[in-house]
Amino acid sequence: MMSWAKQKLADVAGTREPIYGPEAIQSVAKQTEATPYTELTRKDFTWSHLNTTCVETEVFYLMSDGGQVAFVQVIYSNVAGLRTTSQFNCKIYYPKSANKPNLWSSDQLSNIDFSDDENSFYADNLAVELSEDGNTYTIKSLTNQASVVNIAVTKTAPAFHVGKDGNTTFGTDPEAPWGTMRHAFWPRASCSGTITTSDGAIDLKGKAAFIHCLQGMKPHHAAAKWKFCNFQSENYSAIAMEFITPPSYGSTVVTIGGITKGNEIVWAGSTCSAAWSKVKDDSEVGWQPPEAVKFEWNGKTNDGKDVTGLVEGPLDEHYDRVDIMAEVPGFIKQIVAGAAGTKPYIYQYPKNIISLKIKIGEEEVVEEGILYAEATFISE
């Protein structure tokens, strides 16, 4: 069977893909040799809502001045052009001093629609709208009375994607790829507004970051593992996103990220790295989540100064393990796990007090901030 036919079978059936090898992935890192990154405008944040297999998400990470860390997320998915579903997720991590469990709401959406310009997303009891100037998202949700969302996230540093078009592509013919992966970032933003719970309104005034991601294929075919860093301090932001493909694409590592200072991008590109410097066994599910991390960024500013950045240290013991398929009926979960070899879990480390060490030219700075980190394990 030809490679594209095998891939389509795997796409529909959820089976493991055959071994295509690393030559079947065209990493966005290749683009960064000529174009390290591209600043983005409003038109670069349209919803693609493909008619083929895809998962597309918008996620807003929030760090309030009051000590709460939260995220809100819209997920749009399509399986082989046969069925589309959408979900709205909201999660709040309370400060340790509050001694309260995390709040998690996840609701399937109905009557999905997009604005004429494809920049805004609508569903029953939900609106995620991008302003005309492209600088502010408003998120209003009544999808769950446990977490009524009414927030605004405003960009305070330029948006970017890595490379020229931001895409890593998958396929044995680079001119006709069968899959894509793209991340577009607002690395630094501000948040205002509230999420109202049964205990009342939580003021989310503080810092934020935003990511629009399009995986134009089955997610477990594109990536077996993920590492994510969202560091925010008074003056700096540092973002790193790494995925490792399954063996079908040679267990290829793709890492992208950027650093901002104030309202400017210091550096963005693919010459960064993410590592778990210490791990522990989670025998309950069979993965080794991190206990300590090391994220590094290396490159040059637009005016040619050398840039190095480092976020390194232990992670807080206060973390959350999320079973990605928890809301899927058990028999379906067993079939998918058996057919595709997946056992997807995300480990979320919401609030780690840690420092960024950054050197720009001859100027070296160490600044303490908050690290939100994620480790995702999908398959070996």
Side-chain angles (χ1 to χ4, degrees):
M1 191 184 298
M2 289 185 291
S3 291
W4 69 266
K6 291 179 182 178
Q7 196 281 328
K8 288 302 176 188
L9 173 63
D11 210 24
V12 175
T15 55
R16 285 184 184 273
E17 290 192 288
I19 301 298
Y20 306 116
E23 60 274 13
I25 178 173
Q26 297 78 46
S27 170
V28 70
K30 296 178 182 178
Q31 300 180 25
T32 66
E33 296 169 7
T35 308
Y37 70 93
T38 301
E39 290 193 14
L40 305 179
T41 63
R42 189 178 191 273
K43 64 180 175 59
D44 299 302
F45 287 90
T46 56
W47 285 86
S48 299
H49 54 99
L50 303 177
N51 290 322
T52 55
T53 296
C54 68
V55 176
E56 189 169 11
T57 65
E58 289 193 341
V59 56
F60 301 84
Y61 296 95
L62 317 171
M63 297 179 179
S64 80
D65 295 342
Q68 298 88 355
V69 173
F71 69 78
V72 295
Q73 177 185 41
V74 178
I75 304 174
Y76 174 93
S77 61
N78 186 330
V79 178
L82 303 175
R83 184 186 179 204
T84 61
T85 59
S86 291
Q87 199 88 359
F88 183 73
N89 298 329
C90 175
K91 192 162 193 175
I92 301 171
Y93 306 90
Y94 293 97
K96 285 183 184 178
S97 58
N99 197 26
K100 294 173 65 173
N102 303 329
L103 186 149
W104 168 246
S105 302
S106 183
D107 298 278
Q108 189 163 334
L109 301 172
S110 301
N111 297 317
I112 308 307
D113 198 8
F114 301 89
S115 59
D116 291 342
D117 59 13
E118 313 285 350
N119 279 120
S120 299
F121 181 101
Y122 300 99
D124 287 352
N125 297 312
L126 176 69
V128 180
E129 297 180 302
L130 181 59
S131 61
E132 285 299 320
D133 63 8
N135 291 329
T136 299
Y137 277 97
T138 54
I139 304 98
K140 296 183 179 182
S141 170
L142 288 167
T143 59
N144 196 309
Q145 290 301 310
S147 54
V148 176
V149 178
N150 184 8
I151 61 172
V153 173
T154 299
K155 179 177 59 174
T156 56
F160 74 90
H161 64 209
V162 166
K164 185 177 181 180
D165 64 16
N167 284 310
T168 289
T169 58
F170 298 77
T172 49
D173 179 1
E175 299 303 314
W178 57 55
T180 61
M181 178 82 77
R182 175 183 179 264
H183 291 84
F185 299 94
W186 285 12
R188 191 169 182 86
S190 63
C191 181
S192 62
T194 60
I195 297 177
T196 301
T197 73
S198 59
D199 294 329
I202 299 171
D203 186 356
L204 268 298
K205 181 179 181 295
K207 299 179 179 65
F210 162 66
I211 302 173
H212 185 127
C213 173
L214 174 63
Q215 299 181 59
M217 59 195 299
K218 286 206 171 208
H220 62 278
H221 289 169
K225 299 178 178 68
W226 291 86
K227 299 169 184 172
F228 175 54
C229 160
N230 171 21
F231 172 88
Q232 303 287 335
S233 67
E234 183 179 355
N235 296 297
Y236 294 92
S237 298
I239 304 287
M241 181 78 76
E242 176 180 289
F243 69 90
I244 304 171
T245 71
S248 49
Y249 297 100
S251 299
T252 299
V253 178
V254 179
T255 314
I256 59 176
I259 296 176
T260 68
K261 179 182 180 182
N263 60 0
E264 296 182 349
I265 296 174
V266 174
W267 170 89
S270 63
T271 50
C272 46
S273 63
W276 306 143
S277 46
K278 184 180 180 183
V279 299
K280 65 178 180 180
D281 289 319
D282 184 347
S283 57
E284 190 174 336
V285 297
W287 293 118
Q288 288 190 313
E291 288 187 315
V293 297
K294 184 177 184 179
F295 297 101
E296 294 183 275
W297 300 261
N298 294 279
K300 289 184 179 294
T301 63
N302 287 334
D303 58 1
K305 294 179 182 176
D306 290 330
V307 177
T308 60
L310 174 66
V311 170
E312 182 178 25
L315 293 171
D316 195 291
E317 294 180 2
H318 179 62
Y319 70 89
D320 208 13
R321 186 186 71 194
V322 179
D323 182 347
I324 296 175
M325 298 174 70
E327 313 245 342
V328 176
F331 73 94
I332 295 178
K333 182 175 179 178
Q334 291 173 2
I335 292 170
V336 172
T342 62
K343 45 179 182 176
Y345 288 87
I346 304 177
Y347 295 80
Q348 297 170 331
Y349 304 81
K351 193 171 184 180
N352 305 274
I353 306 302
I354 203 165
S355 292
L356 169 69
K357 299 178 181 177
I358 183 167
K359 186 175 183 181
I360 305 172
E362 298 302 315
E363 180 190 6
E364 192 165 6
V365 174
V366 177
E367 186 163 296
E368 187 177 85
I370 297 173
L371 166 67
Y372 175 96
E374 286 186 348
T376 302
F377 301 89
I378 300 172
S379 62
E380 295 291 354

